[in-house]
Amino acid sequence: MATILNLETSTKNCSVSIAKDGKLLCVVEEANEGFEHGEKLHQFIDWCVEGAGIQLANVDAICVSKGPGSYTGLRIGVSSAKGLAYGLDKKLLSINSLEILVQTQLNKGYDLIIPMIDARRMEVYTALYDGAGNKLTETEAKVIDETSFEELKGKKIVFVGDGAEKCAEILSFLDADFIQIFPSSKDMIHISNEKFSTLQFEDVAYFEPFYLKDFIAGKNKTEK
């Protein structure tokens, strides 16, 4: 079995965990409006290693959330994971950010689990999963309106993620719960351990984040 360092930076939550043989040893995380991942990620890694009582050199793999999500957050997380994997000569694993959210709602009696990561305004990154976590549709960027998910009427649904709450009113015609949470590295543990066991490693040299959409720089508010 393996000791795995998990990094989750796809949203406002900067999250680091270490697990051994599928069991959590330590987690350090903080959700910050300022997206301070660049300043905090490596500090959180140091704290997590200390809390777990291990040496960073003794982990077997680095697992990172690959996206979709914040362009900057993903770039920081993936760059750090690749740097650690290369520098320590460790295996690199990755997980779709939506699958991390799905882990929090497995086998709770829902027909469908629909993770939502906020993509600003009424747009979200999303996909459909069944109640056991099996993926039913591909990941997409979706603008939510009054006609969204009409075909799912009659199903017991949970929308989960930092994009869920803003959709509650417009999707109130559905039999659904809306759970506003961020993806967390502690919810990566089962998948990362399984991927390590089945040798689903990434190529450190060529691996890139799953941005889904091209980055669009915002205009500085001081510009005229």
Side-chain angles (χ1 to χ4, degrees), residues 34-207:
F35 280 94
E36 298 175 351
H37 299 9
E39 293 80 12
K40 294 190 173 181
L41 180 59
H42 286 279
Q43 182 181 54
F44 285 7
I45 292 172
D46 289 342
W47 289 349
C48 199
V49 168
E50 182 179 353
I54 66 168
Q55 298 293 320
L56 189 56
N58 292 334
V59 303
D60 297 297
I62 316 296
C63 185
V64 65
S65 59
K66 68 179 180 180
S70 158
Y71 181 93
T72 301
L74 293 172
R75 178 173 53 81
I76 291 169
V78 169
S79 296
S80 297
K82 290 176 67 173
L84 288 168
Y86 179 79
L88 297 170
D89 192 23
K90 304 299 180 181
K91 299 298 185 182
L92 179 66
L93 305 164
S94 75
I95 303 176
N96 184 302
S97 308
L98 296 176
E99 291 183 22
I100 300 169
L101 289 167
V102 169
Q103 294 299 298
T104 69
Q105 303 302 315
L106 293 178
N107 304 311
K108 292 187 176 182
Y110 294 108
D111 297 317
L112 294 170
I113 303 170
I114 305 180
M116 287 182 161
I117 290 178
D118 190 14
R120 299 184 179 179
R121 299 184 177 87
M122 288 307 295
E123 188 172 23
V124 295
Y125 301 120
T126 191
L128 269 63
Y129 295 76
D130 67 20
N134 299 303
K135 190 175 183 180
L136 303 177
T137 65
E138 293 303 312
T139 301
E140 64 175 328
K142 185 179 184 69
V143 177
I144 305 300
D145 60 27
E146 295 84 354
T147 65
S148 299
F149 305 112
E150 279 186 328
E151 70 280 9
L152 304 181
K153 284 183 178 178
K155 301 284 188 180
K156 179 61 178 175
I157 304 168
V158 59
F159 293 93
V160 58
D162 71 329
E165 192 173 79
K166 71 179 184 181
C167 301
E169 183 175 353
I170 200 168
L171 298 178
S172 60
F173 61 89
L174 294 170
D175 178 16
D177 294 325
F178 296 84
I179 300 176
Q180 183 83 0
I181 59 172
F182 294 111
S184 171
S185 62
K186 67 180 181 294
D187 298 314
M188 297 170 66
I189 292 171
H190 173 73
I191 301 176
S192 62
N193 193 62
E194 185 175 89
K195 287 197 167 193
F196 186 92
S197 299
T198 53
L199 310 181
Q200 296 182 55
F201 305 128
E202 302 290 352
D203 187 313
V204 176
Y206 296 102
F207 177 70

